[in-house]
């Protein structure tokens, strides 16, 4: 309520530091994030909802990455409103490390996330929702990342 009273219209939740990456205490679980998202939407605000995987999962391949994305999204599929929720795919291994997914890897992951949303929310939601890449994007790689269809 305080954020709404201050005129804040959009919030970001689920960032890796809050999820307990980097050896920091886990302040948010998938369950608490679902509760927060519902509250945010009920309050009339919009949300950037962060998801991502550590390097140990990325090294197992795309199927393992998408299994982790499904775990992080499973409690919010029913809350996804493309007009109010943006999914920010932020691979933990690429945050502040100088590493970044190739445009092809980012596209494959985004397409996989969109497919999960189509299967578990609806095709209409999947087609309309924005999925953006947020792992060490910079002026040099942003044009190639942004050129990807998903």
């Amino acid at each position: 309520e305080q954020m709404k009273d201050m005129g804040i219209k959009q919030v970001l939740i689920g960032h890796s530091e809050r999820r307990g990456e980097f050896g920091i205490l886990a302040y948010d679980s998938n369950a608490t994030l679902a509760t927060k998202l519902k509250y945010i939407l009920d309050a009339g605000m919009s949300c950037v909802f962060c998801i991502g995987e550590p390097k140990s999962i990325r090294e197992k391949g795309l199927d393992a990455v998408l299994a982790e994305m499904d775990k992080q999204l499973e409690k919010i599929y029913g809350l996804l409103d493309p007009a109010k929720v943006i999914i920010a795919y932020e691979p933990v291994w690429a945050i502040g490390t100088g590493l970044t997914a190739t445009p092809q890897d980012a596209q494959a992951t985004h397409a996989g996330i969109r497919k999960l949303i189509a299967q578990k929310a609806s095709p209409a939601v999947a087609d309309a929702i924005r999925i953006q890449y947020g792992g060490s994007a910079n002026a040099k790689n942003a044009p190639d990342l942004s050129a990807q269809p998903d």
Side-chain angles (χ1 to χ4, degrees):
E1 288 300 316
Q2 289 175 346
M3 290 189 298
K4 190 175 173 185
D5 291 345
M6 292 171 36
I8 294 172
K9 295 179 172 67
Q10 186 171 53
V11 296
L12 181 145
I13 62 174
H15 201 269
S16 55
E17 285 92 345
R18 296 285 303 177
R19 289 181 181 265
E21 300 294 336
F22 309 113
I24 300 171
L25 293 174
Y27 295 102
D28 283 318
S29 67
N30 295 331
T32 61
L33 289 167
T35 300
K36 286 181 179 187
L37 180 59
K38 183 173 182 348
Y39 186 83
I40 290 163
L41 297 176
D42 287 350
M45 296 185 285
S46 61
C47 181
V48 176
F49 191 92
C50 300
I51 59 175
E53 83 284 356
K55 192 171 184 182
S56 60
I57 292 177
R58 171 53 74 174
E59 289 171 343
K60 293 177 184 176
L62 183 59
D63 288 342
V65 171
L66 293 175
E68 178 63 22
M69 299 306 92
D70 188 32
K71 284 181 198 171
Q72 292 179 26
L73 293 168
E74 69 184 346
K75 295 188 183 306
I76 67 159
Y77 285 121
L79 298 173
L80 294 178
D81 175 347
K84 295 184 177 184
V85 180
I86 296 169
I87 302 295
Y89 169 62
E90 298 189 296
V92 176
W93 54 268
I95 298 173
T97 64
L99 300 174
T100 191
T102 66
Q104 297 77 20
D105 284 342
Q107 169 56 31
T109 304
H110 285 204
I113 293 166
R114 197 170 300 283
K115 184 177 178 183
L116 287 169
I117 294 169
Q119 293 168 342
K120 300 189 177 191
S122 78
V125 170
D127 287 344
I129 200 160
R130 180 183 297 181
I131 303 171
Q132 62 188 36
Y133 179 79
S136 292
N138 57 46
K140 185 177 177 183
N141 63 22
D144 291 334
L145 289 165
S146 297
Q148 301 306 305
D150 284 300

